[in-house]
Amino acid sequence: MDKKQILLIEDEDALRDVCTQMLEFLGYGVCAVASGKEALDTYQPSRFDALLLDVNLPDFSGHKVMSLILEQDTSQQIVLCSGEDLSDQGLTVPILVKPYRLTELKSCLDSLFNT
């Protein structure tokens, strides 16, 4: 079975490195980028099984990146990551509150992929 591919969008180097390691440990293929522009340049419909998207990026908001990606592929799986509680914003995508643990990341992706 092919590895599921994750596009990780996280501007903080240390968090991006740790999350990449966690995803690889869980058996995912990872393409990690540091900005909204890099994410939009890298993204291609059907290339990634899911996106882990930081809400607070230096160039675009994560919400804007999500909107632009969903315009290209309305079925793209996206998980928003934030140090803030976003539960009151009426979002319909999963949210991981940073800092998150390996078990929380695994649980979120298991639910996303119904495994």
Side-chain angles (χ1 to χ4, degrees):
M1 181 170 94
D2 289 336
K3 287 183 182 182
K4 292 203 179 292
Q5 298 298 310
I6 307 290
L7 176 57
L8 170 64
I9 306 107
E10 171 59 63
D11 63 309
E12 293 185 42
D13 294 341
L15 288 175
R16 190 172 57 253
D17 291 345
V18 168
C19 188
T20 296
Q21 291 173 12
M22 288 194 298
L23 288 165
E24 289 173 343
F25 177 81
L26 292 172
Y28 294 100
V30 183
C31 177
V33 298
S35 71
K37 181 181 182 331
E38 283 182 274
L40 295 171
D41 289 346
T42 303
Y43 180 77
Q44 297 170 6
S46 304
R47 178 174 172 198
F48 297 101
D49 297 288
L51 279 63
L52 269 123
L53 175 58
D54 184 13
V55 172
N56 295 311
L57 297 168
D59 54 353
F60 293 101
S61 76
H63 298 287
K64 179 68 173 174
V65 173
M66 181 172 69
S67 174
L68 292 169
I69 285 176
L70 290 175
E71 284 178 14
Q72 295 179 56
D73 182 358
T74 57
S75 66
Q76 179 62 64
Q77 299 276 22
I78 298 176
V79 175
L80 290 178
C81 304
S82 177
E84 304 166 20
D85 181 6
L86 303 177
S87 61
D88 63 345
Q89 294 189 13
L91 298 168
T92 58
V93 297
I95 300 163
L96 272 174
V97 178
K98 298 190 284 187
Y100 47 84
R101 296 183 173 133
L102 179 65
T103 54
E104 294 165 321
L105 178 61
K106 181 182 185 321
S107 176
C108 179
L109 293 173
D110 285 352
S111 293
L112 195 69
F113 298 128
N114 297 313
T115 56

